[in-house]
Amino acid sequence: MTDQARAILERRARELARPDTTTPESERRLSLLEFRLGPEAYAIEARHVREVVPTNFLAPLPGVPPFILGIVSVRGLIWSVMDLRTFFNIPKRGISDHPRAILVEAGGLRWGILADSRLRMVYLDSLRPPPEVTERIPRNAVRGTTEDLAVVLDLEVLARDPRMIVQEDLE
């Protein structure tokens, strides 16, 4: 290889290694799926969401913690569905007649989150800081709040919570 060819290849490598600053503004924005659970508003990053399904096919599962409502099969995959109110020990208040399960993947786990049918996408440039005091939700599980004060949950932190791994030894 000639010196000239080597110089051209090195220049191209440096150009390719340079960070891309031409990313469209829409791609830099935070995409969130906001949902309600009774009167409370929550949001999660859309990149974790795989699908939203009705909960009328939930099968109960014995021997699991009370926050696991049951399981649902979607295209051959089994998803456990959790109720955040029970998980965080938040008093249960009304939920619509048509709840949904938001199927998510984070931290190497796959599960569903119960939500009211009122879902919407929200696009933000930044989050408001998390509240100083969160009554029942651990502070590290809250990334911040939206402009409408929906609590933005950190699914990676939730996935690491020891309660998320349900394992019962059979004798």
Side-chain angles (χ1 to χ4, degrees):
M1 180 181 297
T2 67
D3 289 339
Q4 183 180 11
R6 185 177 313 277
I8 291 171
L9 291 174
E10 286 176 5
R11 180 180 50 82
R12 287 181 182 169
R14 279 191 302 277
E15 287 174 6
L16 289 172
R18 195 172 322 135
D20 181 12
T21 58
T22 61
T23 304
E25 183 178 326
S26 62
E27 290 181 23
R28 285 183 283 196
R29 299 185 86 190
L30 189 60
S31 299
L32 302 170
L33 177 63
E34 188 177 286
F35 61 97
R36 298 196 67 84
L37 190 53
E40 304 297 322
Y42 298 95
I44 55 178
E45 279 190 80
R47 68 185 174 98
H48 295 296
V49 177
R50 298 299 165 250
E51 193 167 346
V52 178
V53 297
T55 57
N56 45 339
F57 298 110
L58 273 180
L61 196 59
V64 295
F67 67 85
I68 301 292
L69 298 173
I71 56 173
V72 64
S73 176
V74 178
R75 281 181 285 292
L77 293 176
I78 303 297
W79 301 76
S80 61
V81 177
M82 73 182 297
D83 185 344
L84 288 173
R85 297 171 302 178
T86 306
F87 187 76
F88 291 130
N89 200 21
I90 297 170
K92 291 185 179 183
R93 289 182 280 183
I95 193 165
S96 75
D97 293 336
H98 305 289
R100 302 276 187 252
I102 303 169
L103 305 181
V104 298
E105 287 186 48
L109 297 179
R110 182 178 68 228
W111 74 97
I113 298 172
L114 180 69
D116 255 341
S117 58
R118 293 171 280 175
L119 305 168
R120 71 180 184 128
M121 289 298 298
V122 177
Y123 304 95
L124 302 173
D125 293 321
S126 63
L127 294 174
R128 290 181 175 199
E132 287 300 317
V133 176
T134 54
E135 289 184 30
R136 305 206 189 251
I137 302 172
R139 186 163 167 74
N140 67 336
V142 178
R143 292 196 51 208
T145 61
T146 66
E147 295 159 358
D148 298 331
L149 300 180
V151 175
V152 180
L153 299 172
D154 189 331
L155 293 186
E156 298 290 340
V157 170
L158 283 180
R160 290 190 302 270
D161 189 301
R163 296 175 292 171
M164 291 294 285
I165 305 298
V166 178
Q167 183 173 348
E168 185 175 316
D169 292 332
L170 298 175
E171 294 185 27

